[in-house]
Amino acid sequence: MKPDPVAADPKTDTVSRRRSVPDVLGRYPVPARALAAVVAGVLLFGSFPPRPYWFLAPVGLAVLVLVLRAPGGLRGGFGYGMLAGLGFFLPLLPWTGIYVGPVPWLALSTVCAVFLGGFGVLARLLGRLPGWPLWLALAWTTGEWARSSFPFGGFPWGRVAFGQADGWYLPLAMIGGAPLIGFAVALTGTAAAALAERLWALRTPGSASNETAPVRASRRGIVTAAVTLAILPLAGLLLRSALPGPQDGERMITVAAIQGSVPRLGLDFNAQRRAVLDNHVRRTEELAREVASGQVTQPDVVIWPENSSDIDPLRNADAAALITAASERIGAPILVGAVLVNADRTTSNSVIVWNGAAGPGERHDKKIIQPFGEYLPMRGFFRLFSDYADRAGYFVPGHGDGVVHAAGTDIGVATCYEVAFDRAFRDSMRAGAQLLTVPTNNATFGDSEMTYQQLAMSRVRAVEHGRALVVAATSGVSAIITADGDVRARTPLFVPSALVADLPLRNEKTIATRIGPAPELLSVILTSAAVVFVLYRRRRRA
C-alpha cells in the first residue's frame, strides 16, 4: 500500500495541525460563537474598576463584533449579544443582590443584557453598510443611551466610559462627556474587528496574488482600520495636556469630606440612624480639634455623606442640636445628607446646608431616585417575586437646579445614584456650579466593587465638566478628585476619616458642558436613519 503523500509531507502535517482549531470552530460554529460572545462580555467586565485594565473594553467589543459579523440572521445577533450581556453584567452587578438574594441581581443583569441583544440586532442590520465600523460604534452609543433611559428612567451602570477613568480615553469627556468616550472605545473595537477581518482575508488560501481591485480595496481597508485604531486612543492621550491643572481656578476654597462610617453593614442601615449620625458628629468634632491644634487647615465648608442623618433634623430637635453643635465646633457650614419626612408621609433624600446656629438653609432634594431601592414601581406586582419588595422606600423625586450655596460658593450636588446619569450635573452647571460633590451611602452594598465603580463615574464627571469634585461616603470610599480626573486623596473602606483639601473654584465651562446631550442625540438620529435605510433597501429587494 502506497503511503499517502500528503500525510507523509511534514509541511502538510504542520499546516494540518495549524488549521485544526479553525476546523473545529468551523465544524461547531454556534457553540464557538456563543463562547466567544461570553468571553467578549467578560472582557468588558474586566475593564471596570477596581481593576486597571481599561484596555480590555475595546478588545471585548472587537471580539463581540467579529462574532456578530459571522453569517446569520437577526435572531442569532440578538442571542449572541444577549450572551455577551450576561457575561458582562452578571459579574458586574452582584452587589445588587448582596442582602436581598440573587433574584434582583439576576433580573437586573438579564434586563441589561437585553440591550446588548438589541446591539446584536443592530450590528447584523448595519454590518453590511459601507463604513460599517462607524455605524456599529454609533449603534453601540445608541444602545447605551437606550439603557440609560428605559425602563423606569434607565440604568446607566456599566456604560463603557465608566471603565475608562484610568485610561487614555478619559480626556475625551471634556469634549463630549461619557457618550464620546463610549463612542471612541466602541469605534476602536469595531476598527480592530475590521482590521482582523481584512488581515484574515488576505492570508486565506485562494486570495489573488496580483493587484486586483478586491485586494487593493482590502489593503485600503487595512490602512483605514489601522489608522483609526491608532488615532482614537492617541487623541485621548494628547488631549490630556488640555485638561485644567489641579490648582487652576479663579480662587481657592478649603473643603472637608467626613466619612463617619457605620456600626454594621446591610439593609438594616436605617435601624442604626442615631449611631450613624453620632459617628459623623464625632468625626467632625475630632476634625475641629485637629484644626484648633494647627494640624489641619480650617475648612470653609464641610460635606457629610448621603444618609448621614436618617433622623429628620427638621422634625427632630435632638438631631438638629447635634448638627448645629458640630457646625459651630468646626466653624463652617455642613452639607448634611438627611432623610426628610414630607407632609404626605413620603420621604425626600436631601442635602441641607446647615449654617451653625442659623440652622438649615438651602437644600437639594435628590431628583433621580433609585427604582427598587428608594421606591418600588408596580409594588403589588413585584411583591409576588420577593419578600423584600416592601423594604423598598417611598421616596419622591425633588426639583430644583441641583445647586446649593455655602461659604460663598455654588456647589453642584449629585446624590449617589444620580452621578451615573449624564443629566445629573447639567442643571447644576447651567446654574453656575463652581465645585461638584457626590454625597453617597454605600453601606447597603457591603464591601463590593460598587463603591469603586461609582468613584470612577465621579472621575469622569470631574473631567466632563472641568470641576474639582468631592465624594463623601458613609463607609467609603470618600475621595477628593481634581478637574483632570486624578484622585488626590481617598479613604479606606469602613474607617472613620476626614479628608481636607484646598480646591480651585472654576467658572469656565468645557465643550461637553456647553453642548450637553448633543453627541448622544446625534448618534441616536444617525443610527435610526441607517436602520430605516437598511430596512427600506431590504424591502425593495424582497
Side-chain angles (χ1 to χ4, degrees):
M1 183 176 179
K2 292 183 179 180
D4 183 356
V6 176
D9 188 344
K11 286 189 176 181
T12 306
D13 265 353
T14 302
V15 172
S16 176
R17 284 194 297 271
R18 189 167 62 236
R19 292 180 184 172
S20 62
V21 173
D23 287 345
V24 170
L25 296 180
R27 187 176 302 174
Y28 305 103
V30 174
R33 292 170 194 163
L35 177 60
V38 173
V39 169
V42 173
L43 288 171
L44 285 172
F45 162 69
S47 70
F48 276 73
R51 290 159 296 279
Y53 309 129
W54 55 271
F55 49 85
L56 292 180
V59 176
L61 280 164
V63 172
L64 177 58
V65 168
L66 287 171
V67 170
L68 295 172
R69 291 274 295 165
L74 299 183
R75 186 168 59 181
F78 178 84
Y80 292 131
M82 184 85 178
L83 286 172
L86 292 173
F88 176 30
F89 289 107
L90 282 174
L92 185 76
L93 303 176
W95 48 267
T96 58
I98 288 178
Y99 297 111
V100 294
V103 173
W105 162 48
L106 296 174
L108 178 60
S109 299
T110 302
V111 170
C112 290
V114 167
F115 287 92
L116 262 70
F119 170 72
V121 172
L122 292 176
R124 284 280 166 90
L125 282 173
L126 307 180
R128 303 305 171 193
L129 289 175
W132 63 263
L134 174 63
W135 293 112
L136 264 59
L138 289 170
W140 178 269
T141 307
T142 299
E144 292 201 321
W145 166 82
R147 183 166 57 83
S148 302
S149 306
F150 311 100
F152 310 121
F155 186 72
W157 223 276
R159 292 170 66 180
V160 292
F162 298 147
Q164 300 300 308
D166 288 312
W168 292 2
Y169 298 92
L170 178 63
L172 295 173
M174 68 184 293
I175 297 176
L180 182 59
I181 296 178
F183 172 77
V185 173
L187 186 54
T188 305
T190 58
L195 181 61
E197 277 191 354
R198 299 283 187 172
L199 291 174
W200 181 259
L202 284 183
R203 72 179 292 255
T204 300
S207 295
S209 58
N210 60 329
E211 284 293 308
T212 61
V215 172
R216 287 196 298 271
S218 181
R219 289 178 179 171
R220 282 196 301 270
I222 289 173
V223 172
T224 302
V227 170
T228 303
L229 190 60
I231 282 179
L232 289 170
L234 286 176
L237 190 62
L238 293 173
L239 273 175
R240 186 169 293 277
S241 62
L243 295 176
Q247 302 299 315
D248 291 348
E250 281 69 41
R251 65 183 179 90
M252 304 295 289
I253 185 174
T254 303
V255 182
I258 300 296
Q259 178 176 302
S261 200
V262 299
R264 60 186 181 278
L265 304 176
L267 288 180
D268 61 345
F269 167 84
N270 288 345
Q272 311 168 59
R273 294 171 180 170
R274 181 55 186 265
V276 174
L277 175 57
D278 287 345
N279 283 356
H280 286 84
V281 169
R282 183 181 304 111
R283 190 62 189 87
T284 303
E285 291 177 341
E286 290 175 2
L287 178 62
R289 289 193 290 271
E290 293 168 2
V291 169
S293 66
Q295 301 176 53
V296 179
T297 304
Q298 167 69 49
D300 297 302
V301 63
V302 177
I303 300 175
W304 283 6
E306 175 192 32
N307 301 146
S308 49
S309 179
D310 269 357
I311 302 172
D312 184 346
L314 304 185
R315 290 173 173 262
N316 186 288
D318 288 346
L322 285 170
I323 298 169
T324 296
S327 180
E328 290 182 318
R329 287 286 303 276
I330 194 63
I334 300 176
L335 272 60
V336 179
V339 174
L340 306 182
V341 181
N342 302 314
D344 60 357
R345 309 309 296 175
T346 59
T347 48
S348 294
N349 191 340
S350 302
V351 172
I352 308 171
V353 180
W354 205 280
N355 294 287
E362 295 182 14
R363 78 189 213 201
H364 164 74
D365 293 342
K366 190 175 183 180
K367 295 190 292 183
I368 307 175
I369 55 176
Q370 182 185 353
F372 306 97
E374 292 174 307
Y375 81 102
L376 185 65
M378 305 164 57
R379 190 178 293 267
F381 173 75
F382 286 109
R383 187 183 287 123
L384 300 174
F385 298 94
S386 176
D387 295 336
Y388 287 97
D390 287 325
R391 301 190 71 169
Y394 291 85
F395 286 84
V396 292
H399 306 282
D401 57 16
V403 167
V404 296
H405 301 87
T409 303
D410 299 337
I411 304 175
V413 182
T415 304
C416 194
Y417 182 64
E418 290 184 305
V419 74
F421 292 82
D422 293 341
R423 64 184 184 272
F425 277 128
R426 282 178 184 153
D427 288 344
S428 303
M429 294 302 299
R430 279 194 291 267
Q434 302 166 295
L435 177 74
L436 303 179
T437 184
V438 180
T440 182
N441 169 29
N442 299 332
T444 52
F445 302 111
D447 58 353
S448 68
E449 295 182 356
M450 178 269 183
T451 190
Y452 303 104
Q453 295 168 8
Q454 190 181 64
L455 178 63
M457 297 177 193
S458 298
R459 295 176 65 186
V460 172
R461 299 305 179 202
V463 175
E464 178 180 5
H465 298 297
R467 296 290 185 270
L469 188 149
V470 179
V471 178
T474 49
S475 55
V477 172
S478 301
I480 303 293
I481 302 170
T482 52
D484 59 356
D486 185 51
V487 179
R488 179 170 166 183
R490 62 189 292 176
T491 65
L493 287 169
F494 319 128
V495 177
S497 304
L499 299 176
V500 181
D502 294 328
L503 296 175
L505 302 180
R506 305 185 72 244
N507 293 314
E508 184 181 354
K509 294 181 179 179
T510 63
I511 296 174
T513 301
R514 293 193 188 101
I515 65 178
E520 198 166 40
L521 293 179
L522 181 61
S523 296
V524 174
I525 292 170
L526 291 175
T527 303
S528 301
V531 169
V532 170
F533 170 76
V534 170
L535 293 178
Y536 174 76
R537 187 174 65 177
R538 287 173 61 146
R539 184 176 179 181
R540 285 287 302 271
R541 288 177 176 174

